[in-house]
Amino acid sequence: MSNNHTHTEGEYIPETYIPHAESHGTGSLWRTFWILLGITIVDFIIYFAFGASMARNIVFIAFGIIKAILIVGIFMHLNYEAKFLRWMIVLPAVIFLSYLVCFLLIEGNYVSLEKYF
Amino acid sequence: MSNSSTVSSTSIWTGGRSPFNVSYGKLMMWIFLLSDAFTFSSLLVGYGAIRFSYAGSTTPWPDPATVFNHFPFAHGLHLPLLFVSLMTLILIISSVTMVLAVEAGHRNSKSEVSKYMFLTILGGAAFLGCQAWEWTQFIHEGGRLDSNLFGFTEAAHEHAKHLKLFDSVHWTDADKISGPVPFASLFFIVTGFHGFHVFSGVVINIIIWINVMRGTYERRGHYEMVEKVGLYWHFVDLVWVFVFTFYYLI
């Protein structure tokens, strides 16, 4: 395979290319930790303060999504990655998950597995 | 690196550089985690569908609070959610120590990376210990892959009486055998699949930790392997957020 990368400096070999990583400090990491901890404590309080209801479930799922965004964005560093990488990871996940969840919400009504178990 | 500064953004797909500006290994780790996210979401959506199918049934889905209500050294007390919250806390803390190890790796500080890697391994082992304890409790009380003794709990019976399904029958232990089997089997499958991820994460963490202490990455000049195993470890934490939400909170 010929190497005609005339517009780059140095030699680019995909399998060994390591971009330079820089520390962003620990401030945002600890802040994320306290937010995650806080949300979990609020989860705990809501669980005992309110009875089971659809509203409570929606709050729990919303908190779960917020925690997921924080973990993926800050801890897994996706917020700081290149734009194309961000979309390549986020878009398929969002599309596939909404597809699955919509099927569950629309078709789940008709399923009764009771007779099989 | 210098590549990105010399190439204009319009030529990002013309080759000669990584359009994602990450190493090959890290890109593949991201794609693996994406596929793993699909697996776990399918499991959780399947769980939701099966649980939903028992709504209004005479053998209702057990309330997790009446099943997972134990805490070590607190026999006979009804303490729902407390133990899983502790497990969640352990996993969040081990996530923080992992990300601190990655941050120390960016500064090429070998001693700090090995310290935080060790703390992460401790956290993972603590989580696994908690899960083993919870499984032991569950199995001890009758949870099996093919049977479930928690289906018809006293609370569920009260609910059924309220619906005028059983107005004169009293709840007995014999009623306990009539619960939905998927409750127990899905518990083992979902938490077991997650627990196996934690276990493999701990094993990979130990391998990387040994490499850190032997100076492998110091000689290599970068700690990218710590970043890759960190991605995997945070993903395990991410999955637990949803297992915690759907299995214990809802």
Side-chain angles (χ1 to χ4, degrees):
Chain A
M1 192 181 142
S2 66
N3 212 346
N4 289 329
H5 303 138
T6 50
H7 56 287
T8 49
E9 279 182 4
E11 202 172 348
Y12 169 71
I13 305 162
E15 285 77 9
T16 55
Y17 169 69
I18 307 280
H20 179 64
E22 272 195 39
S23 166
H24 299 278
T26 55
S28 67
L29 308 180
W30 282 111
R31 193 165 60 244
T32 308
F33 166 72
W34 290 116
I35 296 171
L36 288 175
L37 187 65
I39 293 176
T40 306
I41 290 169
V42 172
D43 268 343
F44 194 78
I45 293 167
I46 289 176
Y47 184 84
F48 289 104
F50 301 98
S53 68
M54 184 52 81
R56 197 181 80 163
N57 291 348
I58 289 171
V59 168
F60 285 152
I61 293 170
F63 280 178
I65 291 170
I66 293 170
K67 281 195 259 187
I69 290 170
L70 284 172
I71 291 171
V72 175
I74 309 290
F75 282 179
M76 294 172 87
H77 215 255
L78 198 61
N79 277 359
Y80 310 102
E81 301 289 2
K83 185 175 73 179
F84 289 110
L85 178 63
R86 287 208 303 269
W87 285 111
M88 189 187 73
I89 301 301
V90 170
L91 265 189
V94 168
I95 291 170
F96 185 73
L97 286 185
S98 4
Y99 164 82
L100 271 182
V101 170
C102 285
F103 260 12
L104 174 67
L105 294 177
I106 296 166
E107 301 293 329
N109 233 354
Y110 303 105
V111 181
S112 180
L113 295 169
E114 227 185 310
K115 52 184 172 292
Y116 302 116
F117 292 106
Chain B
M1 259 181 147
S2 57
N3 288 357
S4 50
S5 57
T6 54
V7 178
S8 70
S9 63
T10 49
S11 63
I12 198 164
W13 292 102
T14 55
R17 59 181 293 204
S18 163
F20 304 113
N21 201 33
V22 284
S23 70
Y24 178 78
K26 209 161 144 185
L27 186 63
M28 292 304 120
M29 177 56 93
W30 269 112
I31 290 173
F32 163 68
L33 293 181
L34 187 62
S35 72
D36 225 12
F38 292 161
T39 311
F40 272 109
S41 49
S42 305
L43 273 176
L44 284 173
V45 166
Y47 165 77
I50 291 175
R51 180 170 172 174
F52 194 31
S53 74
Y54 281 91
S57 140
T58 50
T59 54
W61 198 259
D63 182 2
T66 62
V67 180
F68 308 109
N69 57 356
H70 307 288
F71 201 82
F73 310 113
H75 302 290
L77 294 178
H78 177 65
L79 299 166
L81 205 67
L82 201 58
F83 193 59
V84 274
S85 297
L86 177 70
M87 288 164 74
T88 308
L89 180 67
I90 290 170
L91 215 51
I92 291 176
I93 290 173
S94 80
S95 239
V96 172
T97 54
M98 185 77 238
V99 86
L100 289 174
V102 171
E103 196 271 335
H106 289 161
R107 291 184 278 107
N108 286 322
S109 166
K110 180 185 160 188
S111 61
E112 275 188 78
V113 175
S114 66
K115 179 181 84 181
Y116 286 126
M117 287 294 291
F118 176 69
L119 291 174
T120 308
I121 293 162
L122 273 190
F127 180 86
L128 284 174
C130 288
Q131 200 163 45
W133 189 84
E134 195 180 35
W135 274 44
T136 310
Q137 285 291 314
F138 189 64
I139 294 168
H140 185 69
E141 293 184 358
R144 295 288 185 277
L145 264 177
D146 59 351
S147 69
N148 167 28
L149 295 181
F150 298 98
F152 214 50
T153 57
E154 197 157 8
H157 188 260
E158 285 302 313
H159 181 64
K161 265 201 330 208
H162 181 68
L163 295 172
K164 305 258 188 300
L165 294 171
F166 300 86
D167 19 34
S168 59
V169 188
H170 289 290
W171 181 79
T172 63
D173 273 0
D175 291 317
K176 284 176 94 181
I177 55 170
S178 55
V181 174
F183 174 75
S185 38
L186 277 167
F187 173 77
F188 286 122
I189 289 167
V190 175
T191 65
F193 203 58
H194 174 263
F196 189 70
H197 273 75
V198 179
F199 172 73
S200 48
V202 169
V203 171
I204 300 167
N205 269 341
I206 290 173
I207 295 168
I208 301 296
W209 180 51
I210 291 170
N211 273 331
V212 169
M213 290 199 302
R214 291 175 65 189
T216 309
Y217 307 128
E218 202 172 34
R219 281 193 298 280
R220 204 177 279 179
H222 58 82
Y223 283 81
E224 235 230 357
M225 285 306 286
V226 178
E227 282 185 52
K228 282 181 228 166
V229 76
L231 283 180
Y232 183 74
W233 191 252
H234 296 311
F235 177 76
V236 166
D237 186 24
L238 174 70
V239 170
W240 180 254
V241 165
F242 288 102
V243 174
F244 175 69
T245 302
F246 290 112
Y247 227 94
Y248 297 97
L249 286 176
I250 291 178

